[in-house]
Structure formats: C-alpha cells, structure tokens
PDB file of all heavy atoms in Angstrom:
ATOM      1  N   LEU A   1     205.118 -23.829 -54.588  1.00 92.00           N
ATOM      2  CA  LEU A   1     204.523 -25.154 -54.387  1.00 92.00           C
ATOM      3  C   LEU A   1     204.961 -25.761 -53.057  1.00 92.00           C
ATOM      4  O   LEU A   1     204.147 -26.340 -52.331  1.00 92.00           O
ATOM      5  CB  LEU A   1     204.909 -26.084 -55.546  1.00 92.00           C
ATOM      6  CG  LEU A   1     204.368 -27.512 -55.467  1.00 92.00           C
ATOM      7  CD1 LEU A   1     202.852 -27.497 -55.518  1.00 92.00           C
ATOM      8  CD2 LEU A   1     204.947 -28.360 -56.572  1.00 92.00           C
ATOM      9  N   HIS A   2     206.244 -25.623 -52.716  1.00 92.00           N
ATOM     10  CA  HIS A   2     206.733 -26.139 -51.437  1.00 92.00           C
ATOM     11  C   HIS A   2     206.037 -25.450 -50.265  1.00 92.00           C
ATOM     12  O   HIS A   2     205.673 -26.101 -49.278  1.00 92.00           O
ATOM     13  CB  HIS A   2     208.245 -25.948 -51.319  1.00 92.00           C
ATOM     14  CG  HIS A   2     209.036 -26.885 -52.152  1.00 92.00           C
ATOM     15  ND1 HIS A   2     210.184 -26.491 -52.777  1.00 92.00           N
ATOM     16  CD2 HIS A   2     208.854 -28.181 -52.485  1.00 92.00           C
ATOM     17  CE1 HIS A   2     210.690 -27.511 -53.450  1.00 92.00           C
ATOM     18  NE2 HIS A   2     209.883 -28.547 -53.295  1.00 92.00           N
ATOM     19  N   LYS A   3     205.870 -24.137 -50.369  1.00 90.00           N
ATOM     20  CA  LYS A   3     205.221 -23.392 -49.289  1.00 90.00           C
ATOM     21  C   LYS A   3     203.793 -23.878 -49.063  1.00 90.00           C
ATOM     22  O   LYS A   3     203.371 -24.098 -47.932  1.00 90.00           O
ATOM     23  CB  LYS A   3     205.222 -21.895 -49.602  1.00 90.00           C
ATOM     24  CG  LYS A   3     206.593 -21.269 -49.620  1.00 90.00           C
ATOM     25  CD  LYS A   3     206.485 -19.814 -50.020  1.00 90.00           C
ATOM     26  CE  LYS A   3     207.857 -19.179 -50.128  1.00 90.00           C
ATOM     27  NZ  LYS A   3     207.792 -17.761 -50.494  1.00 90.00           N
ATOM     28  N   SER A   4     203.053 -24.045 -50.139  1.00 92.00           N
ATOM     29  CA  SER A   4     201.667 -24.503 -49.984  1.00 92.00           C
ATOM     30  C   SER A   4     201.623 -25.953 -49.512  1.00 92.00           C
ATOM     31  O   SER A   4     200.733 -26.325 -48.738  1.00 92.00           O
ATOM     32  CB  SER A   4     200.893 -24.345 -51.290  1.00 92.00           C
ATOM     33  OG  SER A   4     201.378 -25.228 -52.278  1.00 92.00           O
ATOM     34  N   MET A   5     202.564 -26.773 -49.925  1.00 92.00           N
ATOM     35  CA  MET A   5     202.588 -28.173 -49.483  1.00 92.00           C
ATOM     36  C   MET A   5     202.880 -28.272 -47.984  1.00 92.00           C
ATOM     37  O   MET A   5     202.300 -29.113 -47.291  1.00 92.00           O
ATOM     38  CB  MET A   5     203.612 -28.970 -50.295  1.00 92.00           C
ATOM     39  CG  MET A   5     203.161 -29.254 -51.711  1.00 92.00           C
ATOM     40  SD  MET A   5     204.419 -30.028 -52.736  1.00 92.00           S
ATOM     41  CE  MET A   5     204.521 -31.634 -52.010  1.00 92.00           C
ATOM     42  N   VAL A   6     203.755 -27.412 -47.478  1.00 91.00           N
ATOM     43  CA  VAL A   6     204.038 -27.398 -46.038  1.00 91.00           C
ATOM     44  C   VAL A   6     202.790 -26.972 -45.260  1.00 91.00           C
ATOM     45  O   VAL A   6     202.425 -27.589 -44.256  1.00 91.00           O
ATOM     46  CB  VAL A   6     205.238 -26.483 -45.720  1.00 91.00           C
ATOM     47  CG1 VAL A   6     205.364 -26.245 -44.232  1.00 91.00           C
ATOM     48  CG2 VAL A   6     206.528 -27.084 -46.257  1.00 91.00           C
ATOM     49  N   ALA A   7     202.109 -25.921 -45.736  1.00 91.00           N
ATOM     50  CA  ALA A   7     200.890 -25.464 -45.058  1.00 91.00           C
ATOM     51  C   ALA A   7     199.809 -26.544 -45.077  1.00 91.00           C
ATOM     52  O   ALA A   7     199.158 -26.808 -44.054  1.00 91.00           O
ATOM     53  CB  ALA A   7     200.385 -24.184 -45.717  1.00 91.00           C
ATOM     54  N   LYS A   8     199.645 -27.212 -46.217  1.00 93.00           N
ATOM     55  CA  LYS A   8     198.641 -28.283 -46.310  1.00 93.00           C
ATOM     56  C   LYS A   8     199.016 -29.476 -45.447  1.00 93.00           C
ATOM     57  O   LYS A   8     198.153 -30.101 -44.827  1.00 93.00           O
ATOM     58  CB  LYS A   8     198.482 -28.720 -47.767  1.00 93.00           C
ATOM     59  CG  LYS A   8     197.757 -27.729 -48.625  1.00 93.00           C
ATOM     60  CD  LYS A   8     197.695 -28.219 -50.061  1.00 93.00           C
ATOM     61  CE  LYS A   8     197.093 -27.170 -50.969  1.00 93.00           C
ATOM     62  NZ  LYS A   8     197.130 -27.564 -52.387  1.00 93.00           N
ATOM     63  N   LEU A   9     200.306 -29.810 -45.405  1.00 92.00           N
ATOM     64  CA  LEU A   9     200.769 -30.944 -44.600  1.00 92.00           C
ATOM     65  C   LEU A   9     200.487 -30.708 -43.119  1.00 92.00           C
ATOM     66  O   LEU A   9     199.944 -31.582 -42.433  1.00 92.00           O
ATOM     67  CB  LEU A   9     202.267 -31.170 -44.826  1.00 92.00           C
ATOM     68  CG  LEU A   9     202.930 -32.241 -43.973  1.00 92.00           C
ATOM     69  CD1 LEU A   9     202.468 -33.615 -44.406  1.00 92.00           C
ATOM     70  CD2 LEU A   9     204.438 -32.125 -44.064  1.00 92.00           C
ATOM     71  N   ILE A  10     200.823 -29.546 -42.640  1.00 90.00           N
ATOM     72  CA  ILE A  10     200.602 -29.234 -41.222  1.00 90.00           C
ATOM     73  C   ILE A  10     199.112 -29.174 -40.915  1.00 90.00           C
ATOM     74  O   ILE A  10     198.652 -29.710 -39.904  1.00 90.00           O
ATOM     75  CB  ILE A  10     201.307 -27.919 -40.849  1.00 90.00           C
ATOM     76  CG1 ILE A  10     202.817 -28.135 -40.904  1.00 90.00           C
ATOM     77  CG2 ILE A  10     200.877 -27.417 -39.489  1.00 90.00           C
ATOM     78  CD1 ILE A  10     203.638 -26.907 -40.749  1.00 90.00           C
ATOM     79  N   ARG A  11     198.351 -28.591 -41.789  1.00 91.00           N
ATOM     80  CA  ARG A  11     196.904 -28.489 -41.582  1.00 91.00           C
ATOM     81  C   ARG A  11     196.244 -29.868 -41.586  1.00 91.00           C
ATOM     82  O   ARG A  11     195.381 -30.159 -40.767  1.00 91.00           O
ATOM     83  CB  ARG A  11     196.315 -27.614 -42.686  1.00 91.00           C
ATOM     84  CG  ARG A  11     194.861 -27.347 -42.556  1.00 91.00           C
ATOM     85  CD  ARG A  11     194.404 -26.405 -43.645  1.00 91.00           C
ATOM     86  NE  ARG A  11     192.978 -26.269 -43.617  1.00 91.00           N
ATOM     87  CZ  ARG A  11     192.282 -25.585 -44.493  1.00 91.00           C
ATOM     88  NH1 ARG A  11     192.899 -24.968 -45.477  1.00 91.00           N
ATOM     89  NH2 ARG A  11     190.978 -25.508 -44.396  1.00 91.00           N
ATOM     90  N   ARG A  12     196.664 -30.726 -42.510  1.00 92.00           N
ATOM     91  CA  ARG A  12     196.044 -32.048 -42.663  1.00 92.00           C
ATOM     92  C   ARG A  12     196.502 -33.026 -41.588  1.00 92.00           C
ATOM     93  O   ARG A  12     195.681 -33.711 -40.968  1.00 92.00           O
ATOM     94  CB  ARG A  12     196.370 -32.597 -44.051  1.00 92.00           C
ATOM     95  CG  ARG A  12     195.731 -33.932 -44.366  1.00 92.00           C
ATOM     96  CD  ARG A  12     196.130 -34.457 -45.734  1.00 92.00           C
ATOM     97  NE  ARG A  12     197.559 -34.739 -45.782  1.00 92.00           N
ATOM     98  CZ  ARG A  12     198.408 -34.146 -46.601  1.00 92.00           C
ATOM     99  NH1 ARG A  12     198.000 -33.233 -47.451  1.00 92.00           N
ATOM    100  NH2 ARG A  12     199.689 -34.451 -46.581  1.00 92.00           N
ATOM    101  N   GLN A  13     197.791 -33.109 -41.340  1.00 92.00           N
ATOM    102  CA  GLN A  13     198.314 -34.133 -40.429  1.00 92.00           C
ATOM    103  C   GLN A  13     198.133 -33.762 -38.958  1.00 92.00           C
ATOM    104  O   GLN A  13     197.774 -34.607 -38.154  1.00 92.00           O
ATOM    105  CB  GLN A  13     199.807 -34.371 -40.700  1.00 92.00           C
ATOM    106  CG  GLN A  13     200.105 -34.952 -42.059  1.00 92.00           C
ATOM    107  CD  GLN A  13     199.638 -36.394 -42.191  1.00 92.00           C
ATOM    108  OE1 GLN A  13     199.374 -37.070 -41.217  1.00 92.00           O
ATOM    109  NE2 GLN A  13     199.545 -36.840 -43.424  1.00 92.00           N
ATOM    110  N   LEU A  14     198.381 -32.520 -38.596  1.00 89.00           N
ATOM    111  CA  LEU A  14     198.293 -32.117 -37.192  1.00 89.00           C
ATOM    112  C   LEU A  14     196.901 -31.655 -36.791  1.00 89.00           C
ATOM    113  O   LEU A  14     196.619 -31.502 -35.607  1.00 89.00           O
ATOM    114  CB  LEU A  14     199.311 -31.013 -36.897  1.00 89.00           C
ATOM    115  CG  LEU A  14     200.780 -31.365 -37.116  1.00 89.00           C
ATOM    116  CD1 LEU A  14     201.653 -30.190 -36.773  1.00 89.00           C
ATOM    117  CD2 LEU A  14     201.164 -32.588 -36.308  1.00 89.00           C
ATOM    118  N   LYS A  15     196.045 -31.412 -37.801  1.00 90.00           N
ATOM    119  CA  LYS A  15     194.677 -30.950 -37.557  1.00 90.00           C
ATOM    120  C   LYS A  15     194.649 -29.712 -36.655  1.00 90.00           C
ATOM    121  O   LYS A  15     193.940 -29.677 -35.643  1.00 90.00           O
ATOM    122  CB  LYS A  15     193.828 -32.077 -36.981  1.00 90.00           C
ATOM    123  CG  LYS A  15     193.645 -33.218 -37.960  1.00 90.00           C
ATOM    124  CD  LYS A  15     192.779 -34.306 -37.421  1.00 90.00           C
ATOM    125  CE  LYS A  15     192.546 -35.456 -38.350  1.00 90.00           C
ATOM    126  NZ  LYS A  15     193.450 -35.763 -39.358  1.00 90.00           N
ATOM    127  N   VAL A  16     195.459 -28.729 -37.019  1.00 88.00           N
ATOM    128  CA  VAL A  16     195.522 -27.466 -36.293  1.00 88.00           C
ATOM    129  C   VAL A  16     195.139 -26.339 -37.247  1.00 88.00           C
ATOM    130  O   VAL A  16     195.109 -26.519 -38.461  1.00 88.00           O
ATOM    131  CB  VAL A  16     196.933 -27.207 -35.716  1.00 88.00           C
ATOM    132  CG1 VAL A  16     197.288 -28.229 -34.667  1.00 88.00           C
ATOM    133  CG2 VAL A  16     197.976 -27.190 -36.814  1.00 88.00           C
ATOM    134  N   MET A  17     194.855 -25.186 -36.678  1.00 87.00           N
ATOM    135  CA  MET A  17     194.571 -24.015 -37.495  1.00 87.00           C
ATOM    136  C   MET A  17     195.897 -23.399 -37.935  1.00 87.00           C
ATOM    137  O   MET A  17     196.783 -23.178 -37.118  1.00 87.00           O
ATOM    138  CB  MET A  17     193.747 -23.000 -36.726  1.00 87.00           C
ATOM    139  CG  MET A  17     193.401 -21.799 -37.568  1.00 87.00           C
ATOM    140  SD  MET A  17     192.067 -20.826 -36.938  1.00 87.00           S
ATOM    141  CE  MET A  17     190.713 -21.936 -37.135  1.00 87.00           C
ATOM    142  N   THR A  18     196.013 -23.142 -39.209  1.00 89.00           N
ATOM    143  CA  THR A  18     197.264 -22.618 -39.755  1.00 89.00           C
ATOM    144  C   THR A  18     197.086 -21.164 -40.176  1.00 89.00           C
ATOM    145  O   THR A  18     196.020 -20.751 -40.618  1.00 89.00           O
ATOM    146  CB  THR A  18     197.724 -23.450 -40.959  1.00 89.00           C
ATOM    147  OG1 THR A  18     196.671 -23.490 -41.932  1.00 89.00           O
ATOM    148  CG2 THR A  18     198.080 -24.853 -40.546  1.00 89.00           C
ATOM    149  N   LEU A  19     198.159 -20.418 -40.037  1.00 89.00           N
ATOM    150  CA  LEU A  19     198.205 -19.015 -40.417  1.00 89.00           C
ATOM    151  C   LEU A  19     199.403 -18.837 -41.341  1.00 89.00           C
ATOM    152  O   LEU A  19     200.517 -19.241 -41.003  1.00 89.00           O
ATOM    153  CB  LEU A  19     198.373 -18.130 -39.176  1.00 89.00           C
ATOM    154  CG  LEU A  19     198.697 -16.666 -39.417  1.00 89.00           C
ATOM    155  CD1 LEU A  19     197.443 -15.926 -39.851  1.00 89.00           C
ATOM    156  CD2 LEU A  19     199.274 -16.044 -38.178  1.00 89.00           C
ATOM    157  N   SER A  20     199.166 -18.255 -42.503  1.00 91.00           N
ATOM    158  CA  SER A  20     200.251 -17.971 -43.441  1.00 91.00           C
ATOM    159  C   SER A  20     200.339 -16.481 -43.672  1.00 91.00           C
ATOM    160  O   SER A  20     199.325 -15.803 -43.826  1.00 91.00           O
ATOM    161  CB  SER A  20     200.009 -18.673 -44.778  1.00 91.00           C
ATOM    162  OG  SER A  20     200.110 -20.060 -44.629  1.00 91.00           O
ATOM    163  N   ILE A  21     201.580 -15.996 -43.720  1.00 90.00           N
ATOM    164  CA  ILE A  21     201.831 -14.574 -43.924  1.00 90.00           C
ATOM    165  C   ILE A  21     202.760 -14.448 -45.123  1.00 90.00           C
ATOM    166  O   ILE A  21     203.789 -15.117 -45.193  1.00 90.00           O
ATOM    167  CB  ILE A  21     202.488 -13.945 -42.681  1.00 90.00           C
ATOM    168  CG1 ILE A  21     201.640 -14.207 -41.449  1.00 90.00           C
ATOM    169  CG2 ILE A  21     202.703 -12.463 -42.883  1.00 90.00           C
ATOM    170  CD1 ILE A  21     202.344 -13.914 -40.154  1.00 90.00           C
ATOM    171  N   GLY A  22     202.385 -13.599 -46.058  1.00 89.00           N
ATOM    172  CA  GLY A  22     203.221 -13.413 -47.235  1.00 89.00           C
ATOM    173  C   GLY A  22     203.120 -12.001 -47.767  1.00 89.00           C
ATOM    174  O   GLY A  22     202.181 -11.267 -47.478  1.00 89.00           O
ATOM    175  N   ASP A  23     204.114 -11.635 -48.593  1.00 88.00           N
ATOM    176  CA  ASP A  23     204.136 -10.279 -49.124  1.00 88.00           C
ATOM    177  C   ASP A  23     204.284 -10.222 -50.635  1.00 88.00           C
ATOM    178  O   ASP A  23     204.362  -9.139 -51.199  1.00 88.00           O
ATOM    179  CB  ASP A  23     205.261  -9.472 -48.485  1.00 88.00           C
ATOM    180  CG  ASP A  23     206.633 -10.017 -48.822  1.00 88.00           C
ATOM    181  OD1 ASP A  23     206.715 -11.153 -49.322  1.00 88.00           O
ATOM    182  OD2 ASP A  23     207.629  -9.306 -48.584  1.00 88.00           O
ATOM    183  N   GLY A  24     204.314 -11.351 -51.312  1.00 86.00           N
ATOM    184  CA  GLY A  24     204.515 -11.319 -52.754  1.00 86.00           C
ATOM    185  C   GLY A  24     203.691 -12.359 -53.480  1.00 86.00           C
ATOM    186  O   GLY A  24     202.962 -13.158 -52.880  1.00 86.00           O
ATOM    187  N   ALA A  25     203.838 -12.380 -54.806  1.00 87.00           N
ATOM    188  CA  ALA A  25     203.078 -13.303 -55.636  1.00 87.00           C
ATOM    189  C   ALA A  25     203.480 -14.750 -55.373  1.00 87.00           C
ATOM    190  O   ALA A  25     202.660 -15.661 -55.541  1.00 87.00           O
ATOM    191  CB  ALA A  25     203.291 -12.962 -57.109  1.00 87.00           C
ATOM    192  N   ASN A  26     204.714 -14.977 -54.934  1.00 88.00           N
ATOM    193  CA  ASN A  26     205.154 -16.347 -54.662  1.00 88.00           C
ATOM    194  C   ASN A  26     204.533 -16.912 -53.388  1.00 88.00           C
ATOM    195  O   ASN A  26     204.654 -18.101 -53.116  1.00 88.00           O
ATOM    196  CB  ASN A  26     206.682 -16.413 -54.594  1.00 88.00           C
ATOM    197  CG  ASN A  26     207.250 -15.509 -53.524  1.00 88.00           C
ATOM    198  OD1 ASN A  26     206.562 -14.609 -53.035  1.00 88.00           O
ATOM    199  ND2 ASN A  26     208.488 -15.732 -53.166  1.00 88.00           N
ATOM    200  N   ASP A  27     203.851 -16.105 -52.597  1.00 90.00           N
ATOM    201  CA  ASP A  27     203.225 -16.554 -51.357  1.00 90.00           C
ATOM    202  C   ASP A  27     201.734 -16.813 -51.500  1.00 90.00           C
ATOM    203  O   ASP A  27     201.088 -17.230 -50.534  1.00 90.00           O
ATOM    204  CB  ASP A  27     203.452 -15.526 -50.251  1.00 90.00           C
ATOM    205  CG  ASP A  27     204.909 -15.313 -49.944  1.00 90.00           C
ATOM    206  OD1 ASP A  27     205.664 -16.305 -49.967  1.00 90.00           O
ATOM    207  OD2 ASP A  27     205.310 -14.163 -49.697  1.00 90.00           O
ATOM    208  N   VAL A  28     201.168 -16.577 -52.669  1.00 92.00           N
ATOM    209  CA  VAL A  28     199.725 -16.674 -52.858  1.00 92.00           C
ATOM    210  C   VAL A  28     199.215 -18.085 -52.588  1.00 92.00           C
ATOM    211  O   VAL A  28     198.224 -18.279 -51.871  1.00 92.00           O
ATOM    212  CB  VAL A  28     199.323 -16.200 -54.275  1.00 92.00           C
ATOM    213  CG1 VAL A  28     197.887 -16.530 -54.583  1.00 92.00           C
ATOM    214  CG2 VAL A  28     199.556 -14.714 -54.401  1.00 92.00           C
ATOM    215  N   SER A  29     199.865 -19.096 -53.109  1.00 93.00           N
ATOM    216  CA  SER A  29     199.385 -20.471 -52.905  1.00 93.00           C
ATOM    217  C   SER A  29     199.478 -20.879 -51.436  1.00 93.00           C
ATOM    218  O   SER A  29     198.605 -21.592 -50.929  1.00 93.00           O
ATOM    219  CB  SER A  29     200.163 -21.449 -53.781  1.00 93.00           C
ATOM    220  OG  SER A  29     201.543 -21.401 -53.481  1.00 93.00           O
ATOM    221  N   MET A  30     200.494 -20.429 -50.728  1.00 93.00           N
ATOM    222  CA  MET A  30     200.624 -20.722 -49.302  1.00 93.00           C
ATOM    223  C   MET A  30     199.514 -20.024 -48.514  1.00 93.00           C
ATOM    224  O   MET A  30     198.914 -20.617 -47.609  1.00 93.00           O
ATOM    225  CB  MET A  30     201.990 -20.263 -48.798  1.00 93.00           C
ATOM    226  CG  MET A  30     202.181 -20.373 -47.309  1.00 93.00           C
ATOM    227  SD  MET A  30     203.712 -19.618 -46.739  1.00 93.00           S
ATOM    228  CE  MET A  30     203.487 -17.907 -47.163  1.00 93.00           C
ATOM    229  N   ILE A  31     199.215 -18.777 -48.856  1.00 94.00           N
ATOM    230  CA  ILE A  31     198.166 -18.027 -48.173  1.00 94.00           C
ATOM    231  C   ILE A  31     196.811 -18.696 -48.386  1.00 94.00           C
ATOM    232  O   ILE A  31     196.005 -18.801 -47.464  1.00 94.00           O
ATOM    233  CB  ILE A  31     198.157 -16.559 -48.655  1.00 94.00           C
ATOM    234  CG1 ILE A  31     199.383 -15.831 -48.116  1.00 94.00           C
ATOM    235  CG2 ILE A  31     196.879 -15.839 -48.265  1.00 94.00           C
ATOM    236  CD1 ILE A  31     199.585 -14.447 -48.683  1.00 94.00           C
ATOM    237  N   GLN A  32     196.572 -19.179 -49.585  1.00 94.00           N
ATOM    238  CA  GLN A  32     195.292 -19.824 -49.873  1.00 94.00           C
ATOM    239  C   GLN A  32     195.195 -21.216 -49.265  1.00 94.00           C
ATOM    240  O   GLN A  32     194.095 -21.689 -48.996  1.00 94.00           O
ATOM    241  CB  GLN A  32     195.071 -19.895 -51.382  1.00 94.00           C
ATOM    242  CG  GLN A  32     194.821 -18.532 -51.990  1.00 94.00           C
ATOM    243  CD  GLN A  32     194.694 -18.574 -53.494  1.00 94.00           C
ATOM    244  OE1 GLN A  32     195.131 -19.514 -54.136  1.00 94.00           O
ATOM    245  NE2 GLN A  32     194.094 -17.533 -54.057  1.00 94.00           N
TER     246      GLN A  32
END
C-alpha cells in the first residue's frame, strides 16, 4: 500500500510520468 501511495502521490502532485519496477507479488499495486 505504501509503495502504490508513493507512486500515486508523485504522479498526481508532480504531474510527471512514473515508472515502477518490481519483482514480486508485493510490487503489483505499485506497478499498476
């Protein structure tokens, strides 16, 4: 949840394109 919240925060507030890289099930929400 923290990972996805950080990705959403940066995407929403800075209005930049975000890239997430993950290798496990705990990274799925951040990737999406």
